[in-house]
């Protein structure tokens, strides 16, 4: 992290240098200490550091606040915002450099960002946004309320404003929104030397960081890519056309989940984004994709657990809004499932043990269904489950359900027999378990497959369906068999 | 994807050129057709294409097979292996170029890879592995059985063998295993020009692709990094020390999940890996991290669903092994939970409706617990939930549980009253629901927090605990209250 600036070529100034080095070392040491203090072993901000920030803000100690913030990466300042109440956030942000502000804002979670954006003047914001790549800037502008958005855009230079407006014209969660418009493109007849000279000369208009140079034909369609490291190691007189590699083009309207899949599958670092006609309009880089992968897998986990559009850092009302609807739907399906029990009230009155055992059949079915559901949802996401092997996968799941059901039926059936000394009860219990685990495995793979075929997200609403099916089947199979065998 | 090779500088040969362009276009068209056929809209292999491969293999049509395989990226050939039975896999692999073999093998899932590796001669394998970066090669060697591993390593050149053995000496799922030993390092007193000349001259020993040049001090400790694109755009006489950026070092024994977190947080493209003493020993690039993120989020989803060490592409026995143990544990906890019902058998015999309603209380508690569990597990993974805000998060969850419980209690309590015309039953049901949703929210956040504090994976075994707590509480609260109020 430290930048050493010793220069072995100037021994004459050794005393002066030694002094300044010592001073620098002292300053550096203190910085290092704060940096060490800031992040714990798990790279999360430590409670001690957050307390120091709160304390400095309470004392309105501007110098100390600045010192503390200087020890943090913008991403860590963004994390810090998540731990502070709105008042403290404003106090802290007042001491952030204008250049750092843009980066911090672009790192913030949506909920906090809306809050922070309210507190920043439009002119300051416009200035900060100019520092960002067009995709990140558009992302921030998207979170502004209508009138503030107009003010901020009006305060920006033409070029940046158009870039942001163009980006926002693409649908959310598509390649168009992920991409940055800044790319390095070169005609295919250029040599390595010409390309390097171009980059040196027009550096200001190019993206700050880039990993591939896209080789384009006269109609600006990408025909190949040259990784920057390859450009660096190739002789200057070599034509680009000779060293370029094939590129994987991303359609501008492609869903971000598909984009992430392509990056992962082909190990891409960057990829050109093209309009329907094939013209190069921007590029997506892998650092944006890492965020998408996190987002999408988080969506899957939360959707499977019945949490919609989970507000991270959300307040209690947002949390309720993201959970209550699914609980209400679950209430309805639960009511439907227990209507089966109601139909067997007479039998339960006669043999109360049925009421004790029936939740086990339903619950194990639910667990088994969740297992095959989770496996199927992940396999669909990674394309390991597709039209090619859907039937085979369904067949395997049915076998697994049957075998696990039989194993459980033997073990628990024996336990039921030993506890209640009723062979017929044990048999009804065992057979119901086999039936329910078979149905669970089948429902767990069929539900996401059908949703996927219908073009819906297989993770959303699959769980509710599977739980309903296994509850219903569990109660019906057990109570029905018991009614047949016992009474 | 197509590489055009028209050269505007040679108009004299236009007729010849036209002919060859036409011929190339025809060939290209056929290639393009196969490529279009191979992948569906979702970038998965199409059933038609897989059928064509199977058909060509059946007819032992080597030329057709080669043509089909040529249309695929190595990653797609690896996917194809996943859809084929072992016999077909061997038939297909026989027609793969030695150079492509290494890449295909490194893309294969572990289960299939072990299978495929068995079928490849040690000498062929040794040759193929030389084509890979040290991390990918080590990954493959790790999957070989002991005696074959010895044979393959013996057949490799000294340098590659040592690199692989060193890599394998690091623990699985650590930075040491993820990193490649090939890096570009430069002393801090070098200029941009000297660095570029070095890369041009010693290109063969450098990694094939690289994104950052690490600036090192005399003891080979990294003191900064220069992105290749920055090197390219900077004047040749600029010293590296002047343009280098601070680096985030990765300790060689850091867990891969932490490494992924750091890459995501700081948007890294590559990072230097250092030994305990601080010496540079390798680098990790973001394309490896994308795979880790996928792996880790998949592990979380499957662990939450009670699937252990999920064999992807596994056979039925592996699937059973990954699921039956958790089902057995669930059986035990379910038995424990229903023992509560057994204690209230007399009450149920008197009011059978209790048996109908009790699963709803338990099931809604389970759903609510799963919701807060999923949110907590994701928040822990992204460090949004940490020691700083654990108490506040627990408090919020308790509020959410209380409010959602109250909302559900009012709605369903009314429904119960209207259905059974029994106010006391409706009240017992409603209060039990509030209690259970409160306990569910609390258990859902406490279980993963405590596991995390104990240094365990919060996703594993949390679900079983939460389900048990909500089942037990649901049955006990409802039946207990009913016994108090009704009887």
């Amino acid at each position: 992290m430290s930048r050493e600036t010793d220069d072995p070529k100037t021994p004459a100034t050794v005393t002066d240098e030694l002094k300044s080095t010592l001073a620098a070392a002292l300053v550096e040491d203190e910085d290092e200490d704060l940096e060490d203090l800031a992040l714990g072993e798990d790279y999360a901000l430590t409670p001690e550091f957050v307390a120091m920030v709160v304390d400095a803000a309470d004392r309105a100690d501007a110098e100390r606040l600045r010192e503390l913030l200087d020890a943090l990466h913008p991403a860590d300042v963004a994390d810090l915002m998540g731990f502070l109440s709105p008042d403290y956030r404003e106090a802290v942000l007042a001491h952030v450099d204008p250049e750092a502000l843009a980066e911090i804002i672009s790192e913030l979670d949506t909920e906090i960002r809306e809050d922070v954006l309210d507190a920043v003047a439009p002119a300051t914001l416009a200035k900060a946004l100019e520092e960002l790549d067009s995709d990140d800037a558009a992302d921030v502008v998207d979170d502004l309320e209508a009138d503030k958005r107009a003010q901020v855009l009006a305060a920006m230079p033409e070029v940046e404003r158009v870039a942001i407006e163009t980006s926002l014209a693409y649908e959310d969660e598509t390649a168009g929104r992920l991409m940055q418009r800044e790319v390095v493109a070169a005609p295919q007849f250029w040599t390595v030397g010409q390309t390097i000279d171009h980059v040196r000369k027009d550096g200001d208009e190019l993206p700050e960081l880039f990993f591939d140079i896209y080789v384009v034909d006269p109609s600006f369609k990408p025909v190949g890519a040259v990784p920057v490291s390859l450009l660096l190691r190739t002789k200057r007189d070599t034509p680009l056309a000779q060293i370029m590699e094939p590129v994987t083009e991303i359609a501008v309207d492609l869903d971000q989940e598909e984009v992430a899949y392509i990056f992962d599958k082909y190990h891409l670092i960057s990829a050109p984004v093209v309009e329907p006609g094939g013209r190069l309009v921007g590029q997506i880089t892998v650092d944006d994709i890492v965020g998408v992968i996190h987002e999408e897998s988080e969506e899957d986990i939360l959707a499977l657990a019945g949490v919609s559009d989970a507000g991270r850092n959300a307040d209690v009302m947002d949390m309720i809004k993201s959970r209550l609807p699914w609980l209400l739907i679950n209430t309805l399906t639960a009511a439907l499932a227990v209507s089966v029990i109601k139909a067997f009230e007479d039998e339960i009155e006669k043999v109360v043990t049925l009421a004790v055992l029936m939740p086990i059949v339903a619950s194990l079915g639910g667990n088994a269904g969740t297992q095959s559901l989770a496996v199927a949802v992940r396999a669909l996401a990674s394309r390991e489950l597709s039209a090619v092997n859907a039937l085979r996968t369904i067949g395997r799941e049915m076998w697994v359900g049957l075998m696990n059901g039989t194993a459980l039926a033997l073990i628990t059936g024996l336990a039921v027999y030993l506890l209640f000394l009723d062979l017929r009860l044990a048999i009804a219990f065992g057979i119901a378990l086999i039936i329910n685990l078979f149905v669970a495995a089948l429902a767990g793979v069929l539900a996401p497959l059908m949703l996927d075929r219908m073009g819906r997200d297989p993770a959303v609403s699959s769980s509710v369906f599977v739980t309903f099916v296994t509850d219903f089947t569990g109660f019906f199979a057990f109570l029905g068999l018991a009614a047949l065998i016992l009474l």
Side-chain angles (χ1 to χ4, degrees), chain A residues 161-175:
Chain A
R161 192 181 67 233
V162 171
I164 289 175
E165 283 169 346
T166 312
S167 179
L168 287 177
Y170 294 112
E171 247 185 284
D172 209 19
E173 308 209 333
T174 62

Side-chain angles (χ1 to χ4, degrees), chain A residues 34 169 338:
Chain A
L34 277 182
V338 300

